[in-house]
Amino acid sequence: MSLFKARDWWSTTLGEKEEFDQGCLCVADVDNSGQDKIIVGSYMGYLRIFHPHPVKPGDDVQAEDLLLEVQLQEPILQVEVGKFVSGTEGLHLAVLHCRKLCVYAVSGTQGNVEHGNQYQIKLMYEHNLQRTACNMTYGPFGGVKGRDLICIQSMDGMLMLFEQESYAFGRFLPGFLLPGPLTYSSRTDSFITVSSCQQVESYKYQVLVFATDAEARQETVQQKLSSGKRLVVDWVLNIGEQALDICIVSFNQAVSSVFVLGERNLFCLKDNGQLRFMKKLDYSPSCFIPYCSVKEGTINTLVGNHSNVLNIYQDVTLKWAAQLPHVPVSVKVANIQNLKGVIVTLSENGHLQCSYLGTDPSFFQAPRVDSKEVNYEEFNAEMKELQKIIREAMKTQDILPQSEKRRDLIVTAEVSPDLDAESKAIDSEVKAEVVPSVTVKVTVQSRVTAQKPNLSVCVQAPLAVTCDQFIFNDLEPDSSETVVLSVFLKGNCPPSELEGNCVVSCSTPTGIPKVAQCKFKLPLRLICFPAQPSKSANHKITIDTNKPPISFLTIFPDFADPSEDDQANVLGFQFLTGSKITLLASKTSQRYRIQSDQLEDLWLITKELTLRLEEHFKKQNCKDFACTFSGSIPLQEYFELIDRHFELRLNAEKFRELLSERAVQFRAIERRLLTRFKDKTPAPLQHLDTLLEGTFREVIALADAAEKNQANMFQAFTKLKSATHLVIMLISLWQKLNADQIAIMEAAFLPLAEDTQELGWEETVDSAISSLLRTCLSKSSKEQALTLGGQLSMPKDTSRLKKNISLFCDRLAKGGRLSLSTESATQQVTVVPGGCSTIPESDLEERVVVLGSTATFTNHKHAAKQKSKPGSKHENC
């Protein structure tokens, strides 16, 4: 830390929640008035031009300091000022967007009143880019006089050169992987960059001109040799680290040099690539700029770092260090208001400051201690008043629930602990040899006279019941009715929940309606059976507990075989639909791993595991048992299920439109035929009967395809619900959410029991998550002020939904908390180190044996999609 601070001459904060980077700051006489202006562009698309003139150093920013502020349509990657317009040597502003290069003329009109001058920008020309841009440089390429050419580097390694209003050519850099900083040296007429091989590379402009064109890159080798020369590097220097920035220095009293700022070193090179000197930095730099030194033969360099310190070097000697109020991402030296050598710095969150070096010391001053005396009598009176309010609240607590203590209508459901000896499954689509069923006994009790009680039993598809509606005769007071039904798996996919719901409704003789309901849980054996464990799987999740692992013989007695000792730590499940799931318990740590080839299949086994563990420790009077999850949420695999479901929805919409067209065509042909048949004078049909038959076949084929697509969409929606349940569970274990917060997540992610074309899952969930992001998870009051659209409609794609889900997890990782209260909506999200990153656990690895194999598995805390690698090392336990 420096003893001295940089003296604040002028400063301001740009916008709210805007982001800036290295290329967003430029200092130049952009309006050709003879005075430097500060040009700033942001990733939010705002372009601002400042001309500071404080009355005294440190004054607040004045309104007239901002000459121009305009919002462009796209994020601004870089701003530069040069002679970019033909026919004039005036300076113009070049703005680089992701897919566009725009050149503007900035001009000012002198005001006639006290409001000052007015500035505006005029678009001179623009270039639409075929590739996504990364950065750009400019200069008199090829030694041209009186004008500057522009070179843009794309994200895929192509240099696109523009001769002002026209596109010249494009060349691909050889061996390209990732883009690096780029600059132009007019002394050697060459482009200098740093490749992903950590090498400084120089390419002559003339070599680029005569090299093979970028559009011919896909041609054969023989064609390449005949159409142009191969792009050859002029010189290469290996610096052994990635570079942050490159600057070309060519002052009168100094030797022309190339400065390269690395991650830990500052390099100074000659024009031919030879190293002049190198300075090792004991900090992490963020930006730099060389400038003219008063000592002949030397060069001064400003280097900003992530410790808020600005260091000034004369060659390799540290001459000064000043403390800044922020971490600079870009630094420039300007001459403003006849003040030479003003240091202009910009932070990533928009703090723009003009400062100069001085000896203003920065000392810590301890705050004053509040010595106010405590009034104990006042505190005691307040305590008594609060205790009185608490006592009154406890007295009235039983007033509201009094009617619930003696309910007039009660419904209970009892699930048989064993499966039916003879299956009651009917019309099941499952291709298994035997589709089991389980008996559910439902009892309706009434303490008053109940007229025509109606009982409905509901289970979520693909589960089904043998009978779902029961109508009873009138029930006398204190009487009951009992019905027996069976539940089985009807659809050919695992259900998302193993729960059912019973609802009974009736009315009293006086006309008062009565409703009662209850839920029942179905056994896991209804949809799966024991199977041989699998040693490899595409999807794995690891659940951590705070208690030693329990033998599967204890918590899964209905699946584990007591005669098999190996099943104490590993257990296999197979759904009736065919998919397999393996459950493993660690012998050395307090972890359980669930793995399967399909992400959605993990949900029911994971839920059953946590429920049985909680029941086991509850029987042992253990109240501090808890499950946690510290891996990464499998969002990518979850997004694939969302895309699959949405694709089927789009197909259903296309089938509906095609059926509508063919039906219109079919009716039109029928009318034509009917007119011909009614005609008294017989006329030829002109193949209308053939056309009618062909259209009829098309309608039938489209209807069959639409029906098949509907069945596939139902299965995709069921899988999506299972994966959603799993994601909600992992997030709740990861962030340790309480029951209310989990209920909010379930309401947002699972709003629909059924999916329809009119109201689908994607638009409903997107609206709910957007509401949470703008209320309890908002980062500022500006987000809370935004309003959502009124009517829900089917989106064009799922990009917005996936972006909101990722942002939802990110906000939770950074300290956001789910709540429906208005107070929490005004709280700001605090940043918690770590975020969603996976916790490394190389020191916590363990090995678990799978039945029938000597292979072992290393347990990692993450749920990302994993595939077994061939040739992996196997060991014996």
Side-chain angles (χ1 to χ4, degrees):
M1 177 178 178
S2 172
L3 175 64
F4 302 110
K5 295 190 299 182
R7 302 294 294 269
D8 184 11
W9 183 66
W10 178 89
S11 63
T12 184
T13 302
L14 308 178
E16 291 184 2
K17 305 297 181 182
E18 294 188 44
E19 295 183 4
F20 304 83
D21 207 347
Q22 186 179 59
C24 296
L25 177 64
C26 180
V27 174
D29 180 19
V30 68
D31 60 345
N32 300 283
S33 63
Q35 295 182 345
D36 283 347
K37 310 297 187 300
I38 301 175
I39 305 103
V40 183
S42 74
Y43 284 166
M44 298 294 289
Y46 285 95
L47 177 67
R48 300 177 177 92
I49 301 178
F50 293 92
H51 186 211
H53 48 279
V55 178
K56 60 179 181 179
D59 278 354
D60 293 336
V61 61
Q62 303 296 320
E64 56 268 22
D65 292 345
L66 178 60
L67 303 183
L68 179 70
E69 181 178 17
V70 61
Q71 184 177 14
L72 305 180
Q73 297 297 324
E74 300 179 20
I76 299 175
L77 303 182
Q78 190 172 345
V79 289
E80 296 291 350
V81 174
K83 303 173 184 178
F84 302 133
V85 177
S86 61
T88 175
E89 292 191 8
L91 297 178
H92 290 76
L93 175 63
V95 180
L96 179 64
H97 302 287
C98 296
R99 287 277 185 167
K100 186 186 295 184
L101 172 66
C102 301
V103 175
Y104 298 93
V106 181
S107 59
T109 304
Q110 189 171 4
N112 297 323
V113 292
E114 66 273 9
H115 296 300
N117 300 337
Q118 298 178 1
Y119 284 81
Q120 59 271 349
I121 61 173
K122 178 182 178 182
L123 179 63
M124 304 303 293
Y125 62 88
E126 67 179 21
H127 294 290
N128 291 315
L129 308 179
Q130 299 299 321
R131 287 177 163 79
T132 303
C134 176
N135 51 24
M136 69 174 174
T137 186
Y138 70 96
F141 305 160
V144 297
K145 302 294 183 181
R147 57 178 180 150
D148 291 326
L149 281 63
I150 299 176
C151 176
I152 299 175
Q153 181 180 205
S154 68
M155 297 297 292
D156 58 352
M158 180 180 178
L159 297 183
M160 297 173 283
L161 284 89
F162 297 88
E163 293 183 357
Q164 296 180 341
E165 291 88 348
S166 61
Y167 172 72
F169 57 87
R171 301 289 183 264
F172 280 103
L173 296 177
F176 181 86
L177 182 60
L178 294 173
L182 176 69
T183 189
Y184 171 74
S185 174
S186 59
R187 182 181 176 89
T188 59
D189 193 24
S190 58
F191 296 96
I192 301 175
T193 184
V194 178
S195 67
S196 54
C197 299
Q198 301 177 352
Q199 294 178 347
V200 182
E201 300 177 353
S202 175
Y203 296 92
K204 289 284 188 179
Y205 175 73
Q206 294 299 327
V207 175
L208 290 173
V209 171
F210 293 104
T212 305
D213 192 12
E215 284 72 11
R217 198 179 187 190
Q218 304 297 330
E219 298 177 0
T220 62
V221 177
Q222 185 66 28
Q223 290 174 329
K224 282 185 177 181
L225 294 177
S226 61
S227 61
K229 298 180 180 179
R230 190 169 60 92
L231 183 57
V232 179
V233 65
D234 185 27
W235 54 260
V236 175
L237 177 66
N238 192 337
I239 59 175
E241 59 182 308
Q242 296 295 337
L244 303 180
D245 198 3
I246 302 178
C247 284
I248 304 296
V249 175
S250 182
F251 303 125
N252 293 330
Q253 71 272 25
V255 180
S256 178
S257 304
V258 179
F259 277 80
V260 181
L261 179 65
E263 295 173 328
R264 285 296 177 185
N265 297 279
L266 176 64
F267 304 91
C268 179
L269 315 178
K270 297 180 182 179
D271 289 336
N272 58 2
Q274 295 181 358
L275 184 65
R276 282 191 59 213
F277 62 80
M278 159 185 170
K279 174 64 179 176
K280 184 173 180 61
L281 308 176
D282 55 355
Y283 50 81
S284 178
S286 59
C287 61
F288 88 124
I289 184 171
Y291 66 98
C292 183
S293 173
V294 295
K295 185 179 179 181
E296 185 175 356
T298 61
I299 300 173
N300 288 0
T301 309
L302 292 173
V303 182
N305 61 30
H306 288 277
S307 301
N308 299 11
V309 176
L310 189 66
N311 298 285
I312 296 90
Y313 294 92
Q314 189 176 76
D315 286 348
V316 295
T317 306
L318 179 65
K319 291 295 184 179
W320 196 262
Q323 190 78 22
L324 292 174
H326 56 264
V327 177
V329 295
S330 183
V331 58
K332 303 291 182 183
V333 177
N335 299 328
I336 303 176
Q337 293 292 319
N338 297 322
L339 182 62
K340 297 182 178 180
V342 176
I343 301 173
V344 184
T345 55
L346 176 67
S347 70
E348 65 178 356
N349 55 5
H351 188 92
L352 179 65
Q353 177 175 336
C354 295
S355 56
Y356 57 94
L357 303 180
T359 56
D360 184 16
S362 174
F363 296 117
F364 172 75
Q365 295 181 355
R368 289 186 59 186
V369 179
D370 190 2
S371 59
K372 182 180 178 180
E373 296 183 358
V374 179
N375 191 340
Y376 291 101
E377 294 181 358
E378 203 175 298
F379 282 176
N380 286 333
E382 185 180 359
M383 178 65 75
K384 291 179 181 179
E385 186 68 23
L386 293 174
Q387 289 178 346
K388 182 180 178 181
I389 295 174
I390 293 174
R391 284 195 296 270
E392 291 296 329
M394 294 180 67
K395 288 180 182 178
T396 59
Q397 188 177 7
D398 293 338
I399 293 178
L400 293 177
Q402 190 68 31
S403 60
E404 297 292 333
K405 292 186 176 179
R406 188 178 183 276
R407 291 180 292 178
D408 295 333
L409 189 64
I410 302 174
V411 59
T412 57
E414 180 183 354
V415 181
S416 174
D418 301 321
L419 299 178
D420 296 339
E422 184 177 351
S423 177
K424 305 290 191 347
I426 53 175
D427 298 333
S428 177
E429 300 173 1
V430 183
K431 299 179 181 179
E433 295 181 0
V434 178
V435 179
S437 63
V438 65
T439 300
V440 181
K441 181 179 179 182
V442 183
T443 303
V444 179
Q445 298 178 346
S446 177
R447 301 182 186 274
V448 296
T449 302
Q451 297 180 344
K452 298 294 181 180
N454 187 353
L455 173 65
S456 298
V457 182
C458 177
V459 292
Q460 285 197 11
L463 294 174
V465 294
T466 52
C467 184
D468 58 353
Q469 294 287 338
F470 299 90
I471 300 177
F472 305 107
N473 296 325
D474 294 351
L475 291 179
E476 299 296 328
D478 296 326
S479 61
S480 64
E481 284 284 348
T482 301
V483 295
V484 177
L485 52 95
S486 294
V487 183
F488 60 95
L489 182 64
K490 185 174 183 179
N492 193 26
C493 63
S496 60
E497 291 184 0
L498 284 175
E499 291 183 353
N501 193 18
C502 299
V503 180
V504 60
S505 60
C506 66
S507 60
T508 62
T510 57
I512 301 175
K514 298 286 184 180
V515 178
Q517 64 177 350
C518 72
K519 292 184 178 181
F520 56 90
K521 184 178 180 300
L522 298 171
L524 188 62
R525 287 294 297 269
L526 183 65
I527 61 168
C528 67
F529 54 89
Q532 186 72 13
S534 176
K535 65 179 181 179
S536 61
N538 294 334
H539 302 273
K540 304 175 184 179
I541 61 173
T542 302
I543 303 298
D544 298 342
T545 64
N546 57 353
K547 298 296 179 182
I550 307 301
S551 172
F552 292 152
L553 299 174
T554 303
I555 59 177
F556 285 97
D558 49 343
F559 285 90
D561 188 357
S563 61
E564 298 287 343
D565 294 336
D566 292 339
Q567 292 190 0
N569 295 91
V570 62
L571 198 60
F573 303 86
Q574 183 172 346
F575 286 132
L576 297 177
T577 55
S579 54
K580 292 184 178 182
I581 305 93
T582 302
L583 181 60
L584 304 101
S586 171
K587 295 181 179 180
T588 58
S589 61
Q590 303 165 356
R591 301 180 195 153
Y592 300 87
R593 172 180 288 180
I594 309 96
Q595 59 186 31
S596 175
D597 287 335
Q598 304 296 331
L599 178 67
E600 63 273 10
D601 295 337
L602 300 175
W603 154 240
L604 289 177
I605 305 301
T606 306
K607 179 183 178 183
E608 191 74 17
L609 173 65
T610 56
L611 290 177
R612 297 199 182 196
L613 286 175
E614 290 173 358
E615 291 177 1
H616 173 79
F617 286 104
K618 188 176 180 180
K619 292 179 181 179
Q620 295 185 350
N621 295 325
C622 180
K623 299 180 180 180
D624 60 342
F625 172 75
C627 296
T628 57
F629 177 74
S630 56
S632 58
I633 306 300
L635 291 182
Q636 211 55 42
E637 296 82 355
Y638 182 52
F639 291 160
E640 293 178 3
L641 293 174
I642 294 177
D643 291 337
R644 171 58 179 165
H645 174 256
F646 187 73
E647 179 186 357
L648 292 173
R649 285 189 64 193
L650 293 178
N651 293 341
E653 189 69 19
K654 293 178 182 177
F655 283 130
R656 186 185 66 81
E657 294 176 358
L658 290 174
L659 274 173
S660 178
E661 293 176 0
R662 294 298 182 270
V664 171
Q665 177 179 329
F666 187 78
R667 287 192 295 270
I669 298 172
E670 281 184 324
R671 285 194 297 269
R672 291 284 187 90
L673 282 174
L674 187 60
T675 303
R676 294 291 178 89
F677 291 149
K678 288 183 177 180
D679 194 356
K680 294 181 179 180
T681 304
L685 297 179
Q686 296 179 346
H687 302 291
L688 285 177
D689 54 343
T690 305
L691 188 59
L692 179 69
E693 183 180 357
T695 306
F696 175 75
R697 290 177 180 176
E698 287 185 5
V699 170
I700 296 299
L702 285 173
D704 293 340
E707 185 178 4
K708 183 178 180 180
N709 184 81
Q710 190 69 22
N712 294 335
M713 189 167 66
F714 168 75
Q715 290 192 6
F717 185 59
T718 303
K719 294 178 181 180
L720 180 59
K721 287 196 293 184
S722 298
T724 304
H725 278 295
L726 179 65
V727 170
I728 293 175
M729 180 181 185
L730 295 180
I731 293 177
S732 63
L733 296 178
W734 167 45
Q735 289 294 316
K736 299 180 177 60
L737 303 182
N738 55 35
D740 293 338
Q741 293 171 329
I742 296 175
I744 294 174
M745 282 192 61
E746 290 178 345
F749 281 86
L750 296 167
L752 303 176
E754 295 182 1
D755 194 33
T756 61
Q757 286 296 108
E758 292 77 15
L759 184 63
W761 182 89
E762 285 80 7
E763 55 264 31
T764 311
V765 173
D766 184 32
S767 177
I769 296 178
S770 298
S771 177
L772 292 177
L773 293 175
R774 286 170 171 80
T775 53
C776 59
L777 294 180
S778 63
K779 298 178 67 176
S780 64
S781 57
K782 183 178 179 182
E783 289 187 359
Q784 297 175 20
L786 298 175
T787 57
L788 298 175
Q791 186 175 2
L792 294 181
S793 58
M794 185 174 175
K796 295 181 179 179
D797 52 41
T798 59
S799 57
R800 171 186 165 89
L801 172 62
K802 293 187 286 188
K803 179 182 178 180
N804 283 342
I805 293 176
S806 301
L807 187 59
F808 175 84
C809 296
D810 184 61
R811 294 276 176 90
L812 286 180
K814 292 180 178 179
R817 281 296 171 259
L818 296 173
S819 175
L820 297 180
S821 63
T822 56
E823 296 179 359
S824 63
T826 60
Q827 298 176 356
Q828 298 295 321
V829 178
T830 57
V831 178
V832 177
C836 297
S837 59
T838 309
I839 300 176
E841 43 175 319
S842 57
D843 54 337
L844 300 177
E845 291 186 352
E846 56 178 306
R847 303 192 178 273
V848 184
V849 179
V850 176
L851 286 177
S853 172
T854 58
T856 60
F857 294 91
T858 304
N859 193 352
H860 297 284
K861 286 185 181 179
H862 63 281
K865 188 176 180 180
Q866 301 180 0
K867 295 184 178 181
S868 58
K869 298 180 179 180
S872 58
K873 184 177 179 181
H874 300 296
E875 300 177 6
N876 294 330
C877 287

